[in-house]
Amino acid sequence: MMIIDLSGRIALVTGGSRGIGFAIARRLLAAGATVVLNSRHIDDSAVAELRATAPEQVHLELGDIAQPESARQLVRNVFSRYKRLDILVNNAGIMRPAMIGMISDEDVQATFDINLTSPIQLIQAAARLMARTGGSIVNVASVVGLEGAPGQLAYAASKAGVVGVTRAAAKELAPKGVRVNAVAPGYIETDMTQHLGDAVRDQSLQSIGLGRAGSPDEVADAVLFLCSDMARYITGQILRVDGGMVI
Ligand code: NAP
């Protein structure tokens, strides 16, 4: 059996402070990668947990990636420190539910800036670095971006955009040895879904074939696979990680 070994690889994970991004960072570290982690804040306990086994393989780059310049600066910082980038995981995201007619312009803008514009900026900057060595980009989309959901107009549009970005970037970057895929999680227990409340939770659970919510680690396992050489012949794909929510 091939074991996933990412020793010597440099990975950049956005939104890595908690939830799905934190689980992804943990999985990549366990596979031997050096992880550059971005978010606006991170708890000391989360940093301590990540640094417990390989402290020199965790590097923090705190900042708001909604600003195009900070996304570009993030990749410049990775280049100055490591001179390479092998893995980019565009995970940072926000969800601000509101019914049609009640969605503020500010929420539309913020949702697009963080969920869609920042992955575009990061892919642009990262592709230049990855073109030297090859690489793997994984975007965190959502089942909502594929299927839609009430109260999620802006979020669904941003995640549908991520699906388009994934396919377009995969076509353009394949000749350079850069693979681009996405995962589309369903209902995963994190701070994001906790804010949706019990009624949405109950309704979501009813639609899941496996009968339970997913965990951040279950999404992280799929991301780890796509980042690794086990997925070396896979690009342009959207992998649903939803427990059979949509079959
Ligand atoms: P979460 O627990 O709310 O975590 C979101 C992460 O994004 C945090 O680390 C947050 O850190 C970071 N972030 C938010 N805005 C940022 C900004 N402007 N700059 C830098 N970092 C920022 O959410 P999650 O559930 O783990 O979601 C992770 C990804 O999965 C998102 O893209 C989400 O849309 C997607 N997803 C989640 C589910 C689900 O059921 N949970 C389902 C489908 C897709 P700071 O707040 O400290 O910046």
Side-chain angles (χ1 to χ4, degrees):
M1 191 175 79
M2 188 192 280
I3 293 168
I4 293 180
D5 180 7
L6 300 179
S7 306
R9 311 257 175 111
I10 308 297
L12 171 58
V13 180
T14 68
S17 58
R18 52 198 163 86
I20 293 170
F22 182 75
I24 293 168
R26 243 187 353 213
R27 282 289 193 269
L28 294 173
L29 281 165
T34 292
V35 175
V36 180
L37 186 145
N38 160 265
S39 60
R40 288 165 302 176
H41 334 89
I42 184 164
D43 291 346
D44 291 345
S45 58
V47 178
E49 186 179 337
L50 292 175
R51 289 199 165 137
T53 42
E56 69 292 347
Q57 281 171 236
V58 181
H59 179 67
L60 300 184
E61 284 284 349
L62 298 187
D64 181 354
I65 38 128
Q67 311 297 325
E69 191 44 43
S70 37
R72 284 190 280 268
Q73 189 59 45
L74 187 55
V75 175
R76 278 200 287 271
N77 293 350
V78 171
F79 178 69
S80 355
R81 196 177 179 95
Y82 299 106
K83 301 287 178 278
R84 62 183 291 152
L85 179 62
D86 305 282
I87 293 165
L88 167 65
V89 183
N90 281 308
N91 164 78
I94 59 166
M95 174 199 274
R96 295 185 183 170
M99 299 310 283
I100 293 169
M102 305 296 287
I103 310 165
S104 72
D105 293 345
E106 196 268 326
D107 281 356
V108 173
Q109 192 63 51
T111 303
F112 273 76
D113 285 349
I114 297 162
N115 294 6
L116 183 56
T117 308
S118 96
I120 292 173
Q121 301 288 1
L122 285 167
I123 288 169
Q124 291 225 87
R128 284 184 211 116
L129 267 185
M130 288 182 171
R132 302 156 179 229
T133 52
S136 172
I137 297 172
V138 179
N139 300 317
V140 180
S142 170
V143 161
V144 172
L146 297 169
E147 310 297 333
Q152 302 290 357
L153 192 84
Y155 182 79
S158 72
K159 293 298 185 179
V162 169
V163 169
V165 162
T166 302
R167 293 190 173 129
K171 287 185 176 174
E172 192 169 331
L173 296 177
K176 296 178 174 157
V178 179
R179 297 182 297 103
V180 188
N181 293 289
V183 289
Y187 186 96
I188 311 299
E189 302 271 22
T190 66
D191 293 348
M192 183 178 276
T193 42
Q194 201 181 358
H195 292 137
L196 293 173
D198 290 344
V200 174
R201 185 176 196 278
D202 292 346
Q203 204 182 359
S204 300
L205 291 188
Q206 278 172 20
S207 69
I208 298 173
L210 292 180
R212 62 173 178 83
S215 72
D217 280 344
E218 287 167 328
V219 181
D221 284 340
V223 173
L224 175 65
F225 163 70
L226 290 171
C227 289
S228 78
D229 294 344
M230 289 187 85
R232 62 196 173 280
Y233 203 55
I234 300 175
T235 194
Q237 301 306 305
I238 316 298
L239 178 57
R240 292 174 191 257
V241 187
D242 67 0
M245 192 180 244
V246 184
I247 297 177

